[in-house]
Amino acid sequence: KTITADDIRTSVKEENVQFLRLMFTDINGIIKNVEVPVSQLEKVLANKMAFDGSSIDGFVRIEESDMLLFPDFNTWLLFPWENDHGKVARLICSVHRMDGTPFEGDPRNNLVRVIQDMKDDGYSAFNIGPEPEFFLFKLDENGEPSMQLNDKGSYFDFAPLDMGENCRRDIVLELEKMGFEVEASHHEVAPGQHEIDFRYTDALDAADHIQTFKLVVKTIARKHGLYATFMPKPLHGINGSGMHINMSLFKGEKNFFFDPETDTQLSDSAMHFLAGLLAHARALTAINNPTVNSYKRLVPGFEAPVYIAWSGTNRSPLIRVPLARGLGTRLELRSVDPTANPYLAIAAILEAGLDGIENKLTPEEAVDRNIYRMQDSERKANHIQDLPSTLHNAIKALEDDPVVKAALGPHLYQSFKDSKDLEWAAYRQSVSEWERDQYLELY
Ligand code: ADP
Ligand code: MG
Ligand code: MG
Ligand code: MG
Ligand code: MG
């Protein structure tokens, strides 16, 4: 699909759009909005909307602060729910310098760059199917999130246990109005936890979709008196929220991971790509699990990966190769959580995989047993390494991985690292309830 400026002008008239919301994403994956009245439409369409980049995390220093928003017309979309003061439409934008050149500190520009490199290598698309999970908590009397879950449901439960079902159904309806192709939505393993899967699209669309998805989920949840959070591990003792990433490389209309001629019907390139993900797994963790809390999810016993391994049958490892073949041939990376900046995560994953293809890396044998039940010595004999266990260790792994660093480019790498170093430093200084419970009386 290609939407033109004229299509947008027509839509504004026909739908009586009153506000334009210009969206982009900062280094931490947070959606930023500039909302302007529709009188500014021509300025928006002409790439002339300026904003102060120095107020955005990870962007620029004060002395070069003015930046421009270049809307991607293909992201034109009407929000179905905000009709009180006229309709609101949004455009996802790229950030450019005042001279018009793309700003390399914009995560979306960076993904566009990485995708272009991939196309120059002869691939047509990197397809991504995300499986975001989230919790629904009750809002208190003041409209603030409480830590009270809104149901006691569990995996694939139905009403009346699943009281979030109405809310989830509403979310799905709104998403469909906005053009999402929702493949499935269900209650997850933990109480109050849900998953909504939408159909795979190519990398840039998928990243845009993930950002829009989070916005829709939070907005609709509030209408139901609920608070939706994508925090990876809001409660200890129950499963955390992940965002499995399903992926495949296409050449023309063909899935390049599929090869009917091999025993497994996986192409050699699929295996090289898989090996690239494994080889760079530790550094990728910094991007895919970018918060202190991410590492509270990556622990044994809650279906989240802890070890660097892959399997065709088992759901405990880092990478699973689902049984689907043909167009559906794909790899599923199960470590990613929804705090990941999707533009950075997808760029890093793609470069790690392509590095595997370029260097013809081969993966270790598949591990089709439960890795958690193995002895340490057994894991060692099978060359099974750990994922980083803290944000600090993940950032150190990123520092040592030139491929994943290059996937971000120097500007984004530096601002990502600066931001995460600060986060870790702040966390180190905090003292938790757990520590007081353990030590206050014991010592
Ligand atoms: P799971 O079995 O892990 O729960 P789901 O069925 O929930 O998996 O989600 C599978 C995801 O994989 C969907 O988003 C789907 O669109 C996506 N998918 C299917 N085929 C491909 C493909 N060729 N490339 C990338 N993603 C794909
Ligand atoms: Mg799923
Ligand atoms: Mg499924
Ligand atoms: Mg799930
Ligand atoms: Mg999955």
Side-chain angles (χ1 to χ4, degrees):
K1 84 186 173 199
T2 0
I3 299 177
T4 65
D6 269 338
D7 295 336
I8 292 176
R9 289 186 189 102
T10 308
S11 172
V12 162
K13 266 199 213 107
E14 282 178 358
E15 303 285 340
N16 187 27
V17 172
Q18 291 301 321
F19 291 95
L20 305 172
R21 195 179 284 181
L22 308 177
M23 291 170 44
F24 58 99
T25 296
D26 76 6
I27 189 82
N28 294 315
I30 309 299
I31 303 167
K32 299 286 156 182
N33 280 300
V34 181
E35 196 169 279
V36 299
V38 74
S39 58
Q40 303 299 301
L41 177 65
E42 288 308 319
K43 204 170 161 190
V44 169
L45 295 178
N47 301 329
K48 292 210 167 103
M49 282 304 305
F51 73 103
D52 178 6
S54 67
S55 60
I56 305 297
D57 275 346
F59 269 30
V60 281
R61 292 181 306 273
I62 310 290
E63 57 269 28
E64 38 172 356
S65 62
D66 279 345
M67 315 230 90
L68 291 170
L69 291 173
F70 278 39
D72 180 339
F73 294 168
N74 284 327
T75 65
W76 177 255
L77 194 142
L78 293 154
F79 289 123
W81 63 78
E82 281 168 291
N83 291 340
D84 298 354
H85 307 280
K87 287 195 185 161
V88 181
R90 77 88 198 268
L91 284 162
I92 296 181
C93 301
S94 291
V95 179
H96 287 237
R97 297 181 187 283
M98 289 311 277
D99 65 8
T101 53
F103 171 52
E104 62 276 14
D106 173 12
R108 194 173 190 272
N109 282 342
N110 182 64
L111 180 57
V112 169
R113 172 185 71 86
V114 168
I115 292 170
Q116 190 53 53
D117 287 353
M118 171 200 81
K119 289 190 172 160
D120 293 344
D121 286 349
Y123 304 102
S124 55
F126 185 42
N127 283 317
I128 298 290
E131 300 176 60
E133 295 172 334
F134 56 93
F135 279 89
L136 292 173
F137 289 100
K138 286 181 180 156
L139 288 171
D140 67 16
E141 321 67 82
N142 303 319
E144 298 289 329
S146 74
M147 290 312 287
Q148 251 190 304
L149 293 168
N150 79 310
D151 73 66
K152 296 189 173 64
S154 137
Y155 200 53
F156 285 155
D157 269 352
F158 290 111
L161 267 188
D162 179 5
M163 282 161 41
E165 194 186 22
N166 278 337
C167 175
R168 200 179 59 230
R169 202 172 270 162
D170 245 15
I171 293 169
V172 171
L173 288 174
E174 296 297 331
L175 288 170
E176 285 181 334
K177 280 189 220 160
M178 296 169 76
F180 278 69
E181 199 175 319
V182 176
E183 288 190 337
S185 90
H186 58 83
H187 203 289
E188 257 301 340
V189 174
Q193 193 186 30
H194 302 269
E195 174 176 316
I196 296 177
D197 307 317
F198 33 96
R199 192 188 140 78
Y200 69 89
T201 47
D202 65 29
L204 188 63
D205 265 354
D208 287 344
H209 277 161
I210 289 166
Q211 293 303 73
T212 306
F213 174 80
K214 289 189 241 176
L215 194 83
V216 173
V217 169
K218 283 178 176 285
T219 306
I220 303 302
R222 273 205 174 264
K223 292 192 190 299
H224 287 257
L226 299 170
Y227 184 82
T229 182
F230 291 93
M231 177 179 181
K233 191 87 173 186
L235 298 167
H236 72 90
I238 59 176
N239 280 25
S241 294
M243 185 173 68
H244 299 170
I245 295 286
N246 295 270
M247 67 193 87
S248 58
L249 263 184
F250 273 51
K251 254 189 183 171
E253 296 302 305
K254 287 217 171 82
N255 187 329
F256 198 57
F257 284 175
F258 176 57
D259 179 354
E261 304 299 315
T262 69
D263 291 350
T264 55
Q265 300 200 318
L266 296 170
S267 67
D268 291 344
S269 295
M271 297 314 286
H272 297 321
F273 195 100
L274 168 58
L277 295 180
L278 294 171
H280 297 290
R282 289 182 59 84
L284 285 176
T285 305
I287 317 287
N288 295 339
N289 306 94
T291 60
V292 165
N293 185 252
S294 296
Y295 297 83
K296 308 284 163 86
R297 168 178 167 260
L298 298 177
V299 297
F302 298 97
E303 298 183 15
V306 177
Y307 302 105
I308 301 174
W310 70 281
S311 172
T313 55
N314 189 306
R315 283 176 183 254
S316 66
L318 177 65
I319 300 171
R320 182 171 73 102
V321 186
L323 290 172
R325 291 294 181 269
L327 279 184
T329 312
R330 63 187 186 268
L331 307 176
E332 179 192 35
L333 183 61
R334 305 178 62 266
S335 57
V336 188
D337 73 55
T339 58
N341 178 323
Y343 301 98
L344 299 184
I346 294 171
I349 290 168
L350 175 56
E351 289 289 33
L354 289 178
D355 181 62
I357 293 183
E358 220 162 275
N359 293 299
K360 297 203 169 3
L361 303 181
T362 47
E364 297 279 342
E365 293 278 302
V367 182
D368 292 327
R369 301 171 38 211
N370 191 328
I371 305 173
Y372 302 102
R373 298 231 183 87
M374 291 182 179
Q375 303 286 333
D376 270 347
S377 56
E378 224 180 326
R379 280 194 287 267
K380 219 169 240 160
N382 285 289
H383 308 282
I384 300 174
Q385 271 196 301
D386 295 9
L387 285 175
S389 58
T390 62
L391 179 59
H392 177 65
N393 288 341
I395 297 294
K396 281 202 293 192
L398 175 61
E399 273 178 308
D400 292 339
D401 191 321
V403 171
V404 180
K405 278 163 87 169
L408 303 188
H411 188 294
L412 280 166
Y413 167 70
Q414 197 56 51
S415 40
F416 183 78
K417 185 168 157 28
D418 289 349
S419 167
K420 293 300 145 185
D421 283 348
L422 277 175
E423 184 173 338
W424 182 254
Y427 174 65
R428 280 182 80 182
Q429 297 184 30
S430 77
V431 178
S432 67
E433 207 51 44
W434 184 89
E435 289 162 272
R436 276 187 288 268
D437 287 348
Q438 292 291 309
Y439 308 125
L440 192 72
E441 291 176 63
L442 185 62
Y443 292 98

